[in-house]
Amino acid sequence: MIQGASAISSAAVAGEAAFPERAEPTRGDAAWQLLDERDEWLEFSRPVGASAGDAEQGVWESNVVFEGMHCAACAVTIEQALRATPGVREADISAAAHRGRVVWDESATKPSDWMQAVLRTGYRPLPASDAFAAERRQAETRKMMWRLGVAGVCMMQVMMYATPEYFTSAGEMEADTVRLLRWAQWVLSIPVVLFSCQPFFRNAWLDLKLRRVSMDLPVALGMLITFVVSSLGTFEPQGVFGHQVYFDSLTMFVFFLLTGRWLELRLRDRTAGALEALMHRLPDSVQRQSGAGGWERVSVRRVRVGDVLRVLPGEVFPADGLVLRGETSADESLLTGESTPLARGQGQRVIAGSHNLTAPVDMRVEQIGGDTRYAQIVALMEQASTSKPQIALLADRLAKPFLIFVLLAAGLACIWWWPTDPGHALMIAVAILVVTCPCALSLATPAAMLASAGALARRGVLVRRLQALEALAQVDMVVFDKTGTLTRDAFVLEDLRLRDGVSRAQALALAAALARDSLHPVSRALVDAARAEGSGSSGETPVLAALEEVAGQGVKARLANGHEVRLGSAAFFGVPVTNGSGPSSHLSDGQGWLASFHFREDARDDAQASVAALKDDGVKVRLLSGDRHDAAARLGALVGIDDARGGCLPDDKLALMQQAQAEGATVAMVGDGLNDGPVLAGANVSFAFGRSVPLARAQADFVVLGDRLSLIPACRAKARRTMRIVRQNLGWAAAYNAIGVPLAMMGWVSAWLAGLGMAASSLLVVINALRLSYDERPHEKVH
């Protein structure tokens, strides 16, 4: 962990920053200055444009966590503070994730400058790579539980002392008894006001000092007004406010509000904890082979490309590399969506962030740091957690004006009711301040989309931009690339032609013996075909000598009788052979041509079922390929795509897609990313499919990590369900405010009921959004 972030995090854990209250502004903190060293900011920043290969010199993108946020107004305040800092180019803050993305120019500013600009607004920024995040969240949760517990115990006691007044008529109890019960309520309310309400008062005071408005200001005003009015009624029973006290409403309101915030905190931690589990997956140290041949334990930050590392069972692979010695099983589920442990042995590659499960292995490091698949996946998840859909941007813009409207409405209602009953007028104002809190509205969209993105990530689909979920829900046409998308990276034997007198088993056995040590895809397909048909399993495997592979042509060797045998292309023989329409390989012996093997590309196992699922859902499916038209048509017929076109250059694909868009179609493009950059960028929604593509250079909105085409219809179904839940949340939030405000202004909603309604509305949208976290897997049958 970096020194600067450690210093800041340690202070946060030990001090007030560990709690949900916002931090008091401080200046000149030496810990912040540590982040100005390049090695420190590299831990939570990356060059802008690096993922696309066109990095802009000296411009960085940093991912930051913000403590003390509660609503969209908080996010707007932080964004304004950051954008006002010289050298900061962009700032996007997510109110739901409490995370942000800051783009800044190192020639004009340093991390300590813009971080302290945020600190002066009362929010505490911390690097997203902070290893103390889990400890800070635990401390925050503990303090919240203490505040909630005090409010709950005092609320129950206050209700006991308040109940007699509700169930007796005027004059039934002696005045001294009523006064004693009120004093008891006042004493029990003091811990709630001084301890449980402290975060709200502190945040509201900061808002007033900085001349801004956030959700805590109307809430704190409501608490303060209720306590003051009730205290005056207790001290002066014959005064203007003496006919009734509202300590029960105050304590219930605080309890309900804290309960809502505690549950929101727990629900948010589930999402944050999942991301941090991925971010902090790498080990702190690893065994590295020294120059003398021994093993030494070193920090992961000291590992370099070419180092030989020993990874023990239960440890995490710290880098991408090649297994040199040993065999084990690796769990890559968090990185690829593949839930089954995968066998990894000599000559096979392992990826950073995957778990070594069964045995120690030695590996040679090939990629470290930001070049690993692990780092690219983390970058994509961070990008998704801070991106904002259009609906959420609208909520952010409306948050502050809405809060100002709430304050004005409360003031006008108080003025209107004051001549009738001053005490009742103030409590009506309190109810308006509380009932109109815009938490539910600001959480409605991002909570649902973050929950959906998290569920998709667990299945092996990374969402790069949350707004893509909105577009995916409207998709009515899906365009597939062929090679590497609908097909696998392997061939299958389609046809075998033989010389008279030669059996199929003999030809396959001889070809497999020649191809066994070759890495060419056709050779692998021959070996797989021979193994599937059992050729050579009965002692018929030919004995070969002087085996030699001729690059680009084929393989040759000698049989025990001295005859030369060859396997490869037609040009490798010197005798004419007939080529098929697909990849071919030919076999010869001392008598000349012996056999010809014709292959076809192997469609993915779930391609046909996935296409059928899309068509059943009313989606048009097209195939656009750069391969020959007959090959594209053949594969289209195999998987059920009627509209299949071959011979398409990238520009041709883009033109055809734009034509469909001009005709009103909403198009999703699914490609392998190798030559589909223009069409992926031009589609309404795009999927990059295939593990071979560097994730950092993908132009797609969604990156599919595994090999399952069934994830495409599953993603569309998830997007449509996400938008249904977003509409439900927005509808509920709007209806709640539309009903609650008039009722509060008419005096029909008490302060405690307003607090209950506000907490319930926020919890309802969050819990409704969490339904998206539980994956229904509606298309599991197509796997």
Side-chain angles (χ1 to χ4, degrees):
M1 184 60 200
I2 60 176
Q3 182 184 5
S6 297
I8 295 169
S9 302
S10 299
V13 172
E16 288 299 316
F19 314 132
E21 309 93 276
R22 300 201 294 272
E24 288 283 356
T26 60
R27 298 176 184 268
D29 189 349
W32 300 100
Q33 305 298 327
L34 293 173
L35 294 178
D36 292 344
E37 299 178 14
R38 179 179 292 265
D39 288 343
E40 305 296 347
W41 82 56
L42 283 175
E43 292 293 326
F44 61 98
S45 307
R46 66 182 62 86
V48 170
S51 63
D54 57 353
E56 187 174 353
Q57 187 66 31
V59 180
W60 299 84
E61 177 185 298
S62 299
N63 286 279
V64 187
V65 175
F66 297 95
E67 291 186 336
M69 292 180 60
H70 296 297
C71 64
C74 301
V76 173
T77 297
I78 295 173
E79 287 180 352
Q80 291 174 344
L82 286 168
R83 290 168 182 167
T85 304
V88 174
R89 297 191 178 185
E90 298 178 31
D92 295 304
I93 312 301
S94 169
H98 293 205
R99 301 172 68 88
R101 167 182 164 272
V102 184
V103 178
W104 52 281
D105 187 344
E106 67 173 302
S107 65
T109 188
K110 292 292 186 288
S112 65
D113 296 332
W114 49 264
M115 281 193 171
Q116 292 197 77
V118 174
L119 192 66
R120 285 191 287 272
T121 67
Y123 303 91
R124 185 178 294 273
L126 290 168
S129 59
D130 175 19
F132 289 91
E135 187 175 350
R136 285 187 291 104
R137 288 203 313 274
Q138 289 176 1
E140 183 179 339
T141 302
R142 283 196 298 269
K143 193 60 176 276
M144 180 69 81
M145 284 296 298
W146 274 106
R147 297 191 194 284
L148 178 61
V150 169
V153 171
C154 292
M155 177 196 69
M156 290 186 289
Q157 297 300 316
V158 167
M159 287 297 299
M160 288 177 58
Y161 293 121
T163 300
E165 279 198 81
Y166 289 116
F167 292 98
T168 57
S169 303
E172 281 192 55
M173 285 195 302
E174 295 183 1
D176 289 343
T177 302
V178 173
R179 190 175 300 112
L180 180 62
L181 291 175
R182 289 187 177 184
W183 276 98
Q185 295 175 56
W186 181 77
V187 170
L188 288 167
S189 297
I190 289 177
V192 177
V193 172
L194 296 182
F195 180 64
S196 298
C197 297
Q198 187 185 65
F200 307 103
F201 291 144
R202 175 180 299 183
N203 298 344
W205 177 243
L206 280 173
D207 290 338
L208 291 174
K209 287 200 301 183
L210 297 170
R211 298 180 182 179
R212 69 183 183 211
V213 178
S214 75
M215 189 206 74
D216 286 322
L217 182 58
V219 168
L221 279 175
M223 294 174 179
L224 185 61
I225 290 171
T226 306
F227 183 72
V228 170
V229 169
S230 301
S231 297
L232 291 175
T234 301
F235 298 152
E236 298 181 9
Q238 307 305 319
V240 66
F241 303 112
H243 79 282
Q244 188 174 356
V245 295
Y246 306 94
F247 294 116
D248 54 338
S249 295
L250 170 65
T251 53
M252 289 178 69
F253 162 48
V254 174
F255 176 75
F256 290 143
L257 181 57
L258 288 175
T259 300
R261 286 204 174 176
W262 177 73
L263 289 174
E264 285 178 29
L265 179 67
R266 292 294 303 273
L267 297 175
R268 174 171 57 86
D269 285 349
R270 288 180 56 184
T271 301
L275 179 57
E276 286 168 9
L278 179 62
M279 291 176 59
H280 304 306
R281 195 174 175 88
L282 296 186
D284 295 325
S285 62
V286 68
Q287 290 188 38
R288 183 178 66 182
Q289 191 172 37
S290 63
W295 298 94
E296 57 179 352
R297 185 160 288 276
V298 299
S299 169
V300 169
R301 296 177 63 183
R302 294 175 57 190
V303 172
R304 297 293 181 266
V305 173
D307 287 350
V308 176
L309 308 178
R310 173 164 291 174
V311 182
L312 302 177
E315 292 185 342
V316 174
F317 290 101
D320 292 353
L322 192 71
V323 176
L324 300 178
R325 291 176 291 275
E327 293 185 357
T328 188
S329 295
D331 178 6
E332 300 180 359
S333 57
L334 196 59
L335 303 173
T336 66
E338 176 58 60
S339 58
T340 305
L342 303 174
R344 291 291 181 258
Q346 183 176 350
Q348 294 182 307
R349 283 177 169 77
V350 291
I351 57 177
S354 59
H355 269 104
N356 180 15
L357 297 179
T358 56
V361 293
D362 297 345
M363 62 172 287
R364 182 171 59 245
V365 175
E366 294 183 333
Q367 290 177 317
I368 60 173
D371 295 329
T372 62
R373 284 172 53 84
Y374 165 81
Q376 294 161 7
I377 290 171
V378 169
L380 292 181
M381 292 188 69
E382 286 180 334
Q383 181 179 356
S385 70
T386 57
S387 64
K388 290 186 179 181
Q390 292 300 316
I391 301 177
L393 291 173
L394 177 62
D396 287 356
R397 287 195 296 269
L398 295 177
K400 281 197 172 183
F402 183 75
L403 286 171
I404 294 173
F405 163 77
V406 168
L407 294 173
L408 292 175
L412 292 174
C414 183
I415 293 173
W416 174 266
W417 286 93
W418 188 272
T420 305
D421 184 346
H424 186 56
L426 287 172
M427 295 313 296
I428 288 176
V430 168
I432 295 173
L433 290 172
V434 174
V435 79
T436 53
C437 175
C439 278
L441 189 64
S442 64
L443 288 172
T445 299
M449 291 198 169
L450 285 172
S452 182
L456 289 174
R458 286 191 292 274
R459 294 192 64 182
V461 180
L462 297 185
V463 183
R464 295 190 67 202
R465 287 178 285 275
L466 290 182
Q467 55 265 39
L469 288 167
E470 297 180 56
L472 182 58
Q474 305 299 321
V475 162
D476 53 15
M477 177 182 287
V478 175
V479 177
F480 285 98
D481 179 41
K482 182 176 75 73
T483 306
T485 303
L486 287 173
T487 63
R488 296 191 296 188
D489 296 331
F491 298 106
V492 293
L493 182 62
E494 183 178 35
D495 183 42
L496 172 57
R497 293 192 301 113
L498 301 167
R499 187 176 68 198
D500 292 340
V502 178
S503 70
R504 182 183 181 93
Q506 289 174 331
L508 279 174
L510 180 56
L514 284 164
R516 184 162 290 115
D517 295 326
S518 174
L519 298 178
H520 193 279
V522 169
S523 298
R524 297 293 89 205
L526 271 172
V527 173
D528 291 341
R531 183 183 299 115
E533 298 189 20
S535 299
S537 60
S538 304
E540 300 177 1
T541 302
V543 178
L544 301 178
L547 186 67
E548 178 185 354
E549 184 168 5
V550 181
Q553 297 187 56
V555 183
K556 61 182 180 179
R558 290 196 176 277
L559 294 171
N561 59 14
H563 291 165
E564 184 180 71
V565 288
R566 291 191 176 199
L567 175 71
S569 64
F572 195 39
F573 290 89
V575 292
V577 292
T578 302
N579 286 300
S581 58
S584 300
S585 186
H586 310 282
L587 180 66
S588 70
D589 60 8
Q591 301 177 37
W593 174 82
L594 190 150
S596 290
F597 307 90
H598 299 289
F599 302 88
R600 61 172 171 83
E601 291 179 298
D602 188 17
R604 296 184 185 273
D605 294 337
D606 57 355
Q608 184 176 4
S610 300
V611 169
L614 288 170
K615 293 168 72 173
D616 290 344
D617 209 18
V619 178
K620 297 179 181 177
V621 183
R622 302 180 70 180
L623 170 60
L624 300 180
S625 174
D627 205 348
R628 301 180 314 278
H629 180 73
D630 59 338
R634 185 168 57 252
L635 181 67
L638 179 64
V639 300
I641 300 177
D642 300 324
D643 188 358
R645 303 190 186 187
C648 297
L649 298 175
D651 290 345
D652 299 327
K653 295 182 182 180
L654 181 59
L656 289 168
M657 187 192 67
Q658 290 174 338
Q659 180 183 349
Q661 290 172 324
E663 294 170 356
T666 303
V667 181
M669 176 67 194
V670 186
D672 63 1
L674 292 174
N675 59 354
D676 294 323
V679 69
L680 287 173
N684 299 95
V685 184
S686 54
F687 290 80
F689 203 94
R691 295 186 180 184
S692 61
V693 181
L695 296 178
R697 293 201 297 270
Q699 298 295 315
D701 300 308
F702 299 86
V703 177
V704 182
L705 299 177
D707 294 323
R708 292 174 293 168
L709 273 173
S710 59
L711 292 172
I712 305 302
C715 282
R716 183 173 178 273
K718 176 68 79 173
R720 297 181 67 183
R721 184 165 178 247
T722 300
M723 296 312 299
R724 283 199 301 270
I725 286 183
V726 166
R727 288 191 290 270
Q728 291 170 7
N729 284 350
L730 291 174
W732 161 251
Y736 163 74
N737 281 283
I739 296 172
V741 173
L743 292 178
M745 295 185 74
M746 288 186 291
W748 293 354
V749 178
S750 60
W752 71 267
L753 185 58
L756 177 60
M758 188 199 71
S761 65
S762 298
L763 286 177
L764 181 63
V765 299
V766 173
I767 292 173
N768 194 34
L770 275 181
R771 292 194 296 146
L772 293 164
S773 297
Y774 301 99
D775 200 348
E776 295 180 348
R777 297 179 181 261
H779 292 277
E780 194 71 31
K781 63 183 180 181
V782 303
H783 286 183

